[in-house]
Amino acid sequence: MKPKRGLMLAGLWLGVIASALAVVHTTHRSRTLTAALVDAQKERDELRFEQERLLLEKGAWSAYGRIEQVARKKLNMHMPDSDERVLVPEQ
């Protein structure tokens, strides 16, 4: 019966070693994935901040006062006088 006992003991030791290696691998993988998650969340937060900044900038650039200022200064546009207006009849 001793050979069976020794074989069983060796099998248990192999199981313990395999289980320990699996725990080490799983722990390492978990830490790696957690670090990647933290990096992705940081990038997400930075992109949200950038999006909010761009939306504010877009709002500033598309304000009616800004558009009118650019139209007058850069495009030399002006409000038409009454003699410059042309009415188009409806059909």
Side-chain angles (χ1 to χ4, degrees):
M1 292 244 176
K2 281 192 175 187
K4 284 186 178 180
R5 187 173 178 193
L7 189 59
M8 189 167 75
L9 188 59
L12 286 174
W13 270 110
L14 286 175
V16 168
I17 299 291
S19 176
L21 290 174
V23 167
V24 168
H25 174 73
T26 302
T27 303
H28 175 69
R29 181 84 172 130
S30 174
R31 287 181 182 162
T32 303
L33 291 174
T34 301
L37 175 64
V38 168
D39 290 342
Q41 288 172 338
K42 182 180 177 186
E43 184 178 359
R44 177 203 62 200
D45 293 341
E46 290 172 358
L47 288 172
R48 280 186 182 169
F49 176 75
E50 178 73 8
Q51 179 187 24
E52 290 174 11
R53 187 187 67 75
L54 290 172
L55 286 173
L56 285 172
E57 188 175 334
K58 176 185 170 189
W61 282 99
S62 64
Y64 290 116
R66 171 90 175 120
I67 293 172
E68 185 176 354
Q69 179 186 18
V70 169
R72 287 183 188 276
K73 290 185 179 179
K74 291 189 177 181
L75 302 176
N76 296 322
M77 296 177 84
H78 65 279
M79 289 295 290
D81 294 329
S82 60
D83 60 331
E84 295 176 320
R85 294 181 193 156
V86 176
L87 297 178
V88 179
E90 272 188 59
Q91 294 196 15

